């Protein structure tokens, strides 16, 4: 059956309007209450109250075709009406003349899919069901146990292997998103904000687990050995092929091909794990190194001609937004005025050449500031101001002597230098995998003299 023979043509209109976030969030809230209610549907008034509660928690929400001054009850009724118009729900009247709301079957499937996206740990939701090790360990346990249900075991191992590959692909996709974001963002604030999100959402929740606690290498070799053992055993392969006869339209040879292909696919996946993880490592390094390089460039660029022109343009843009265009133009006008000289005099462009007297006694004065000494001093200065793990650990330990956490805003309170910003970047990068402390994003901002920066908290670990 074709997809749009099942789903109405106006179904996705709910997700494409200007109020799409409001509608989707209200939809999730109503569906959550629907799942906890009666099997035969929920009272429409209960759904209405759920939406009203959501609107009270989000007072600035606006609804199409409803006056801004309308009550939350009116807005809730409009939202439920919109659900019904787009055919996500049915509202019927039962024998007791009570309006009952039910979600349509296809709507339930799509809502569950949408919720699974928003609740995925790769997008900031920590769900233990999304561990790489869980899939691999399940496959390993199934293969290691003694059994005779070979076809069923192969099917379950295959499902867990594909689920593991799917998680890897999602991780790879998010890494690519963050790498693209470096090009798309040219503000230090945005780049650091993305780096904080990257560290909390992606590295701590997925990448770090893949490299440490969810390390798949300890199961990989045994899984490959057992799969190859099945493939080399004609009795086992015959057993699996017989179970696959129904899938192969009772064609025994085709059933054997299907069984062999499934085993080959899994063996290839597990053999390629080293390369896959190496690629993910490479993308992680690209993102971190490129982000640091761009932030360094933007910090230094602020003092050159391009940086100063950018500051002038930002100043004018802010004035225009606040409807002070004329005032802005008057303020910047002197910057673009050149002094005019109607007559050029000899004294203005010509300096007579002075007489040169050769000194008979030209001795080199003793100077302690030799190139060698300067290079040595610059080397030690660079060495002392670098951002190695030892330097960052020593720096944080000064704060952790008396407390278990410190905010980035507290670190920058006394030092707003570019070096302090770079130090914060490396604190972000070393969190978790290099040094034992964690990062928690905060909803407050740090006012820097060059930009505004999202604040975050640094939590000390047990081993630091």
């Amino acid at each position: 059956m074709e997809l749009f023979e099942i789903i109405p043509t106006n179904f996705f209109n709910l997700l494409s309007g200007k109020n799409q976030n409001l509608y989707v969030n209200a939809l999730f809230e109503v569906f959550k209450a629907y799942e906890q209610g009666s099997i035969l549907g929920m009272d429409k008034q209960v759904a209405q109250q759920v939406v009203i509660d959501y609107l009270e928690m989000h007072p600035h929400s606006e609804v199409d075709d409803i006056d801004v001054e309308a009550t939350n009850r009116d807005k809730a009724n409009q939202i439920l009406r919109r659900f019904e118009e787009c055919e996500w729900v049915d509202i019927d009247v039962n024998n007791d003349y009570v309006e009952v709301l039910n979600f349509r079957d296809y709507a339930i499937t799509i809502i569950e899919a949408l919720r699974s996206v928003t609740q995925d740990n790769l997008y900031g939701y920590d769900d233990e069901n999304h561990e790489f090790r869980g899939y691999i360990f399940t496959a390993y346990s199934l293969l290691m146990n003694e059994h005779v249900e070979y076809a069923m075991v192969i099917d379950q191992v295959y499902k867990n292997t594909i689920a593991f590959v799917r998680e890897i692909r999602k991780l790879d996709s998010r890494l690519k998103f963050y790498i693209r974001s470096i090009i798309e963002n040219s503000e230090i604030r945005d780049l650091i904000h993305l780096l904080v999100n990257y560290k909390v959402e992606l590295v701590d929740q997925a990448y770090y687990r893949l490299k440490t606690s969810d390390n798949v290498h300890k199961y990989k070799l045994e899984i490959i050995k057992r799969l190859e053992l099945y493939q080399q055993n004609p009795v086992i392969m015959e057993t699996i092929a017989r179970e696959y006869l129904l899938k192969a339209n009772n064609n025994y040879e085709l059933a054997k091909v299907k069984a062999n292909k499934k085993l080959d696919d899994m063996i290839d996946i597990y053999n390629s794990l080293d390369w896959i993880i190496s690629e993910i490592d490479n993308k992680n390094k690209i993102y971190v190194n490129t982000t640091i390089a761009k932030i360094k460039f933007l910090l230094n660029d602020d003092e050159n001609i391009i940086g100063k022109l950018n500051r002038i343009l930002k100043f004018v843009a802010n004035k225009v937004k606040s409807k002070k265009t004329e005032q802005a133009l008057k303020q910047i006008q002197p910057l673009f005025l050149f002094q005019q000289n109607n007559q050029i005099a000899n004294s203005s462009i010509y300096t007579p050449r002075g007489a040169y007297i050769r000194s008979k006694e030209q001795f080199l004065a003793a100077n302690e500031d030799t190139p060698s000494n300067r290079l040595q001093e610059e080397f030690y200065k660079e060495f002392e101001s670098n951002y190695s793990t030892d330097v960052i650990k020593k720096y944080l330990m000064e704060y952790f002597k008396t407390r278990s956490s410190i905010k980035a805003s507290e670190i920058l309170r006394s030092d707003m230098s570019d070096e302090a910003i770079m130090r914060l970047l490396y604190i972000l990068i070393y969190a978790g995998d290099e040094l034992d402390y964690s990062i928690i994003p905060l909803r407050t901002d740090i006012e820097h003299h060059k930009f505004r920066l999202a604040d975050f908290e640094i939590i000390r670990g047990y081993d630091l």
Side-chain angles (χ1 to χ4, degrees):
M1 198 170 184
E2 295 293 332
L3 177 65
F4 286 100
E5 291 178 7
I6 302 170
I7 296 177
T9 54
N10 63 339
F11 180 77
F12 291 106
N13 291 349
L14 193 71
L15 309 179
S16 59
K18 71 175 185 178
N19 294 318
Q20 56 187 0
N21 285 329
L22 169 64
Y23 286 137
V24 168
N25 290 329
L27 190 72
F28 286 166
E29 294 298 321
V30 173
F31 186 72
K32 188 191 298 181
Y34 175 77
E35 284 189 311
Q36 297 169 354
S38 169
I39 296 174
L40 301 178
M42 67 186 299
D43 192 323
K44 182 186 172 183
Q45 290 185 355
V46 175
Q48 183 187 65
Q49 188 58 49
V50 169
V51 179
I52 290 171
D53 292 343
Y54 173 78
L55 292 171
E56 287 176 351
M57 293 181 66
H58 302 81
H60 301 296
S61 301
E62 295 182 6
V63 185
D64 285 338
D65 303 325
I66 290 288
D67 191 270
V68 178
E69 302 299 325
T71 65
N72 284 339
R73 183 171 296 278
D74 293 333
K75 292 180 180 180
N77 284 330
Q78 174 61 21
I79 290 170
L80 293 177
R81 196 177 303 118
R82 185 67 174 155
F83 291 170
E84 191 175 17
E85 287 172 358
C86 294
E87 300 184 61
W88 287 72
V89 301
D90 286 317
I91 298 176
D92 302 308
V93 179
N94 65 13
N95 293 333
D96 297 324
Y97 302 101
V98 175
E99 289 185 295
V100 177
L101 180 147
N102 274 292
F103 280 88
R104 295 200 176 182
D105 54 347
Y106 51 80
I108 291 173
T109 302
I110 291 174
I111 290 170
E112 288 175 344
L114 293 173
R115 286 204 307 181
S116 69
V117 171
T118 58
Q119 294 178 350
D120 198 311
N121 65 345
L122 290 180
Y123 301 92
Y125 183 86
D126 187 11
D127 187 347
E128 293 299 324
N129 294 326
H130 288 270
E131 289 189 2
F132 297 105
R133 185 177 56 180
Y135 299 118
I136 301 299
F137 181 72
T138 302
Y140 171 82
S141 300
L142 286 166
L143 289 169
M144 292 301 110
N145 289 332
E146 295 296 328
H147 56 80
V148 291
E149 299 288 344
Y150 295 107
M152 183 189 71
V153 167
I154 290 300
D155 286 342
Q156 292 302 315
V157 170
Y158 185 78
K159 285 180 182 177
N160 278 276
T161 302
I162 295 303
F164 170 78
V165 170
R166 194 175 295 123
E167 293 298 316
I168 290 286
R169 283 174 176 162
K170 285 158 65 177
L171 173 58
D172 182 66
S173 175
R174 290 299 285 173
L175 278 166
K176 289 176 183 174
F177 160 77
Y178 277 104
I179 291 170
R180 286 196 306 271
S181 71
I182 301 171
I183 301 169
E184 295 166 358
N185 291 277
S186 57
E187 295 287 339
I188 294 175
R189 167 195 167 87
D190 296 332
L191 290 167
I192 295 179
H193 178 70
L194 283 164
L195 187 60
V196 172
N197 285 350
Y198 173 79
K199 190 68 183 176
V200 173
E201 162 201 323
L202 206 66
V203 175
D204 293 348
Q205 298 293 342
Y207 176 74
Y208 183 56
R209 288 183 179 179
L210 180 64
K211 298 286 291 180
T212 55
S213 62
D214 288 346
N215 195 325
V216 298
H217 291 290
K218 50 191 170 186
Y219 304 117
K220 183 188 78 170
L221 291 177
E222 287 300 324
I223 290 173
I224 292 171
K225 282 182 185 178
R226 190 55 64 100
L227 291 173
E228 288 176 343
L229 183 66
Y230 282 8
Q231 207 169 30
Q232 293 163 8
N233 190 319
V235 176
I236 292 176
M237 290 306 296
E238 185 180 351
T239 305
I240 297 171
R242 284 177 181 171
E243 290 289 334
Y244 280 13
L245 279 174
L246 187 60
K247 299 177 183 178
N249 297 321
N250 290 321
N251 186 327
Y252 181 73
E253 290 303 318
L254 181 59
K256 283 178 68 176
V257 170
K258 284 181 174 289
N260 264 304
K261 185 179 183 306
K262 191 167 278 190
L263 288 165
D264 282 338
D265 288 347
M266 287 190 286
I267 291 169
D268 287 343
I269 288 170
Y270 288 108
N271 277 327
S272 63
L273 280 181
D274 289 339
W275 177 81
I276 292 168
I277 293 173
S278 176
E279 281 294 300
I280 289 173
D281 281 342
N282 186 45
K283 287 187 176 73
N284 175 60
K285 288 174 185 174
I286 288 171
Y287 174 70
V288 170
N289 292 338
T290 310
T291 300
I292 290 174
K294 187 162 186 177
I295 291 173
K296 279 182 180 178
F297 169 77
L298 292 172
L299 286 170
N300 295 329
D301 188 55
D302 195 63
E303 298 306 323
N304 64 20
I305 292 173
I306 295 173
K308 289 174 181 176
L309 285 173
N310 278 333
R311 283 158 66 184
I312 292 169
L313 291 172
K314 286 178 184 177
F315 166 78
V316 174
N318 289 332
K319 289 290 185 182
V320 171
K321 285 179 182 177
S322 57
K323 299 180 179 179
K324 297 179 180 178
T325 307
E326 291 185 9
Q327 180 185 345
L329 293 175
K330 285 180 182 179
Q331 286 182 278
I332 66 170
Q333 190 176 11
L335 298 173
F336 303 99
L337 291 178
F338 295 94
Q339 185 177 358
Q340 295 181 355
N341 290 305
N342 294 328
Q343 184 177 358
I344 300 176
N346 287 339
S347 60
S348 66
I349 61 174
Y350 174 71
T351 303
R353 186 174 179 179
Y356 175 72
I357 302 173
R358 181 179 179 83
S359 175
K360 293 181 180 180
E361 296 176 330
Q362 295 185 356
F363 296 100
L364 291 174
N367 187 1
E368 294 295 327
D369 188 25
T370 63
S372 176
N373 287 340
R374 284 201 304 274
L375 285 172
Q376 190 177 33
E377 288 173 6
E378 288 173 7
F379 172 79
Y380 283 119
K381 185 178 179 181
E382 180 67 24
F383 182 80
E384 286 296 326
S385 63
N386 71 7
Y387 308 102
S388 67
T389 53
D390 291 336
V391 171
I392 297 300
K393 181 178 180 180
K394 182 180 177 182
Y395 178 77
L396 286 177
M397 283 304 297
E398 291 298 316
Y399 290 103
F400 289 151
K401 282 179 181 177
T402 56
R403 57 202 301 181
S404 60
S405 68
I406 180 76
K407 293 179 181 177
S409 54
E410 295 172 325
I411 292 176
L412 292 179
R413 189 174 295 159
S414 58
D415 184 5
M416 284 280 190
S417 65
D418 292 351
E419 185 181 340
I421 298 296
M422 291 305 303
R423 195 183 295 119
L424 275 183
L425 288 182
Y426 281 94
I427 287 173
L428 281 171
I429 291 163
Y430 294 146
D433 49 349
E434 299 284 344
L435 295 173
D436 187 26
Y437 58 88
S438 57
I439 300 296
I440 297 178
L442 301 175
R443 298 196 177 190
T444 54
D445 287 335
I446 304 169
E447 294 291 341
H448 191 273
H449 66 279
K450 294 180 183 177
F451 50 83
R452 185 180 294 172
L453 177 67
D455 200 2
F456 58 89
E457 190 170 10
I458 306 157
I459 311 292
R460 179 178 181 172
Y462 293 107
D463 299 329
L464 193 64

